[in-house]
Amino acid sequence: SRRRHTRLVSDWSSDVCSSDLKEAWYGHPNFRIIDNKVSDFQEKMHRTFNTVLQMIGETSESPKKYSKYLLKCTGPDCVPELPEDVKVQGFELEDTFLANSKSNTDNRIRKRRQGDNCFYEHIITEYPRSLNRNEYLGDGVERRLQITPREYLVLYQTRDKYRTTLKKYRQCFIWQGQYMIIDTILNVKGGFSVLYLDPSCKVEEMKFPESIQIDREVTNVKEYTSYEVSKLKPHPFRFKARDAFALTG
């Protein structure tokens, strides 16, 4: 029989490896941190299993990937300016809703840009009830498909012309061991920023940077979903990381 080898590393080496992995991957759409704030290893594996189910678009025991918090407006166009010592991955997003979206389906294409690199996705989120009703619970099952630039442009021609293509700035970072995402919607009147956190995070116990001031939780508030905000008319904005929206601007 083959002999099994056990790899032992020091706590310091383990921490360095863990830190390097986090820095290499955060900003990825499916990046998650499964921390050790659990009763035992079995519970940690259970959380990991449910997280994987979410990523592949299957129903899990934890239907909500994130809790959402509306932030008070700070910085140009409500884009929070994070401390210089915080390592941030910044992305420019463009969400376009397609005309064939159903009453219980959020059907969109996304262009995601960082520097000179662009990534294209077709995102379909199905909800157990109609989005036109007042029963939004943020519990949709999401399916993502990477598409080519050509496929993106073809789908763009089927966009819902009664909705605004939303232009956002996304900031991904780690603060006090928690992975955080801030999305700022730039091109509608009354633009705002939303903070995304793991549902297990205890917000009341955290001390955020001064630029992150929580207004209230909006996890289940339909008015703060992209699906609803896209109904607003476009509005000019000043913030510009680079010429991010040239392809379909």
Side-chain angles (χ1 to χ4, degrees), residues 7 41 72 125 129 172 195 200 224:
R7 179 173 176 265
F41 184 72
K72 295 180 180 178
T125 308
R129 64 196 62 79
C172 304
L195 172 67
S200 65
Y224 289 97

Side-chain angles (χ1 to χ4, degrees), residues 149-203:
R150 180 182 293 275
E151 290 170 327
Y152 175 86
L153 289 173
V154 170
L155 286 170
Y156 185 79
Q157 300 306 313
T158 67
R159 67 190 182 279
D160 187 339
K161 297 181 180 179
Y162 294 98
R163 292 179 179 270
T164 296
T165 291
L166 297 179
K167 298 178 181 181
K168 310 175 183 178
Y169 185 63
R170 169 168 292 182
Q171 299 180 85
C172 304
F173 58 99
I174 296 174
W175 180 261
Q176 295 183 354
Q178 289 287 342
Y179 181 57
M180 302 185 179
I181 297 173
I182 295 178
D183 275 0
T184 303
I185 297 182
L186 300 167
N187 66 321
V188 297
K189 190 174 183 179
F192 55 87
S193 291
V194 171
L195 172 67
Y196 293 80
L197 295 174
D198 187 279
S200 65
C201 180
K202 297 181 179 179
V203 176

Side-chain angles (χ1 to χ4, degrees), residues 57-60 62-64 102-106 124-143 220 222:
E58 296 293 334
T59 304
S60 70
S62 303
K64 298 171 186 174
K102 300 178 182 178
S103 63
N104 68 328
T105 304
D106 168 342
I124 301 174
T125 308
E126 295 182 353
Y127 297 89
R129 64 196 62 79
S130 173
L131 291 170
N132 296 325
R133 299 167 61 186
N134 296 321
E135 298 177 1
Y136 174 78
L137 297 175
D139 54 354
V141 176
E142 186 178 84
R143 292 176 174 83
N220 297 333
K222 186 173 67 172

